[in-house]
Amino acid sequence: MADGRERQCGSTLFSADELREISGVKIGGDHVEVMCGCTSHRYGDAVGRLKVFSNGDLEITCECTPGCDEDKLTPAAFEKHSGRETARKWKNNVWVIEGGKKIPLSKTALLRYYNKASSKNNSNGSDRCNGTHRDEFVQCRRCRKERRFRLRTREECRLHHDALADPNWQCSDFPYDKIRCEEEEERGSRKVYRGCKRLPTCKGCTSCVCFGCHFCRFSDCSCQTCLDFTTNSSKA
């Protein structure tokens, strides 16, 4: 494992009762795989295969169309890929079939290890940044306007991380609202307010600038920033 945490055998992750009525269950060597999906009112159901690992990792292979090659998506990325109109609530929007009904992940046992990992990271001082993550901006490749990203939750950090890593990111990819390049950019006087708890107009301090924590670095990402952080964490 790249993040230094061993994974359990897939057959020991959940009890037979917890998986009995879930559709498409497959037991892997170090994971459990199930059929999942996300529903867009405009595009209908996008289906995929969700892999659950004991270290908290969740990976989705999309099967929305025969030609889709989206692989190892986070649930949040899968939610966005599906065209779901009310994104940022993947725990409720991504579902599995249980007893013939669509059941949100949040109401199943499948998030047990994800929630444990999140709780551990939030309670471990070495895994937590020393303050908060301030708002950041990502520039549209097409119109060059900057759009604000809030970084208050791990999911929001992942959305910003993925947008920043995408050289072709455009306003139409903005995860929170449907916006177009023609829409006005935030005024400069507003941009200076980025969420620092110490000083509203702070330009960057140890209370609002994070240089890497388990909140904003991701073991399933192969970018150099995440790889360096994961490697250093495993050595600590």
Side-chain angles (χ1 to χ4, degrees):
M1 270 300 294
D3 59 2
R5 292 174 288 179
E6 293 184 358
R7 287 173 170 169
Q8 292 177 223
C9 176
S11 61
T12 66
L13 295 180
F14 302 99
S15 69
D17 287 340
E18 289 172 325
L19 299 176
R20 180 172 291 116
E21 295 191 25
I22 296 180
S23 296
V25 175
K26 293 182 180 180
I27 306 299
D30 61 353
H31 66 274
V32 168
E33 182 177 332
V34 302
M35 188 187 85
C36 69
C38 188
T39 302
S40 164
H41 297 300
R42 181 176 181 182
Y43 302 108
D45 292 347
V47 297
R49 303 289 305 178
L50 167 67
K51 289 182 179 180
V52 179
F53 298 91
S54 63
N55 67 350
D57 286 350
L58 301 171
E59 296 179 358
I60 296 178
T61 299
C62 185
E63 299 177 348
C64 61
T65 62
C68 183
D69 59 357
E70 293 291 344
D71 191 17
K72 293 187 178 181
L73 294 172
T74 64
F78 176 67
E79 176 192 47
K80 181 186 175 191
H81 176 69
S82 73
R84 174 75 190 194
E85 291 80 3
T86 55
R88 292 197 300 157
K89 297 181 179 180
W90 63 265
K91 291 182 181 180
N92 293 322
N93 290 336
V94 177
W95 45 259
V96 297
I97 299 295
E98 186 173 1
K101 298 180 180 179
K102 296 176 181 176
I103 304 298
L105 284 179
S106 60
K107 295 185 178 181
T108 73
L110 296 173
L111 293 185
R112 176 186 302 152
Y113 299 98
Y114 173 85
N115 292 333
K116 282 183 178 179
S118 297
S119 176
K120 180 180 178 181
N121 288 342
N122 288 337
S123 62
N124 186 340
S126 64
D127 292 344
R128 186 175 63 242
C129 67
N130 57 7
T132 185
H133 294 80
R134 65 177 183 172
D135 296 351
E136 299 290 352
F137 292 88
V138 176
Q139 188 179 71
C140 172
R141 178 187 64 82
R142 183 182 170 205
C143 69
R144 317 307 293 179
K145 294 175 182 175
E146 292 184 329
R147 304 302 184 185
R148 180 186 295 264
F149 280 72
R150 286 173 51 87
L151 279 71
R152 303 298 184 272
T153 67
R154 183 170 171 80
E155 288 78 12
E156 289 175 341
C157 286
R158 185 57 189 253
L159 290 171
H160 170 257
H161 173 277
D162 291 350
L164 197 63
D166 182 0
N168 296 314
W169 190 87
Q170 300 183 35
C171 291
S172 58
D173 298 320
F174 192 61
Y176 305 135
D177 303 297
K178 298 296 182 182
I179 62 174
R180 299 176 301 170
C181 289
E182 291 74 20
E183 296 187 31
E184 291 295 324
E185 183 179 15
E186 274 192 39
R187 295 192 301 270
S189 58
R190 172 61 185 163
K191 281 186 175 182
V192 298
Y193 295 93
R194 298 175 65 172
C196 178
K197 295 180 179 180
R198 186 184 65 83
L199 182 67
T201 57
C202 176
K203 294 182 179 180
C205 69
T206 55
S207 295
C208 66
V209 177
C210 178
F211 294 98
C213 69
H214 283 294
F215 207 65
C216 61
R217 299 291 185 264
F218 306 92
S219 62
D220 63 338
C221 177
S222 59
C223 77
Q224 195 60 49
T225 300
C226 288
L227 286 176
D228 288 345
F229 178 78
T230 300
T231 300
N232 292 333
S233 296
S234 63
K235 291 179 180 179

